[in-house]
């Protein structure tokens, strides 16, 4: 399945179960590992697990298996790796703490420069 089609399928699967603040980031200019990163939040660990499970079920109906799934036991942060599309489903506090949107969205030029020590 093409990465854009897979991305859309995943977003729809997340929306079906009322994911919060779903964001898709084109990471292809930043890495060769994936084309898209999708980040979404759930209201509880049970909701996070349900969202991740729904993504898996919908992808499997199209014949797409994840290369890996991490964090499904705890439900605080579940990562689903579909090769060209990486999915992060997190609790809001975890998402705020790691701030993946800021990390992967901007180029180095957009990030503030750290202060330089004075000599």
């Amino acid at each position: 399945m093409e990465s854009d089609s897979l991305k859309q399928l995943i977003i729809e699967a997340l929306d079906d179960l009322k994911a919060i603040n779903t964001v898709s980031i084109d990471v292809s200019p930043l890495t060769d590992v994936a084309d898209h990163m999708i980040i979404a939040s759930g209201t509880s660990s049970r909701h996070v697990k349900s969202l991740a499970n729904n993504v898996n079920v919908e992808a499997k109906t199209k014949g797409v298996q994840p290369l890996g799934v991490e964090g499904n036991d705890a439900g605080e942060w579940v990562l689903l790796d579909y090769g060209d599309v990486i999915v992060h489903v997190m609790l809001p506090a975890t998402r705020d703490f790691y701030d993946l949107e800021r990390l992967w969205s901007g180029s180095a030029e957009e990030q503030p420069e750290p202060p330089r020590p004075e000599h």
Side-chain angles (χ1 to χ4, degrees), residues 1-13 35-36 38 55-67 81-87:
M1 177 176 263
E2 185 193 303
S3 67
D4 286 334
S5 300
L6 180 58
K7 175 186 84 166
Q8 193 56 44
L9 174 82
I10 291 168
I11 290 171
E12 289 170 8
D35 293 334
H36 304 284
I38 299 171
V55 167
N56 244 340
V57 167
E58 293 299 319
K60 283 180 183 177
T61 65
K62 300 295 183 190
V64 180
Q65 296 285 338
L67 299 175
D81 182 355
Y82 288 98
D84 290 338
V85 182
I86 307 293
V87 184

Side-chain angles (χ1 to χ4, degrees), residues 33-114:
V33 174
D35 293 334
H36 304 284
M37 183 175 295
I38 299 171
I39 304 168
S41 295
T43 57
S44 65
S45 60
R46 178 172 282 176
H47 190 210
V48 167
K49 291 179 193 181
S50 295
L51 289 165
N53 184 58
N54 197 49
V55 167
N56 244 340
V57 167
E58 293 299 319
K60 283 180 183 177
T61 65
K62 300 295 183 190
V64 180
Q65 296 285 338
L67 299 175
V69 177
E70 297 292 331
N72 208 27
D73 294 336
E76 184 177 331
W77 178 356
V78 180
L79 180 141
L80 301 133
D81 182 355
Y82 288 98
D84 290 338
V85 182
I86 307 293
V87 184
H88 298 275
V89 185
M90 308 171 164
L91 290 174
T94 305
R95 185 172 178 173
D96 289 342
F97 182 79
Y98 288 100
D99 199 9
L100 294 180
E101 289 95 332
R102 183 188 59 76
L103 182 68
W104 284 97
S105 293
S107 68
E109 294 155 4
E110 294 173 354
Q111 301 300 321
E113 220 174 279

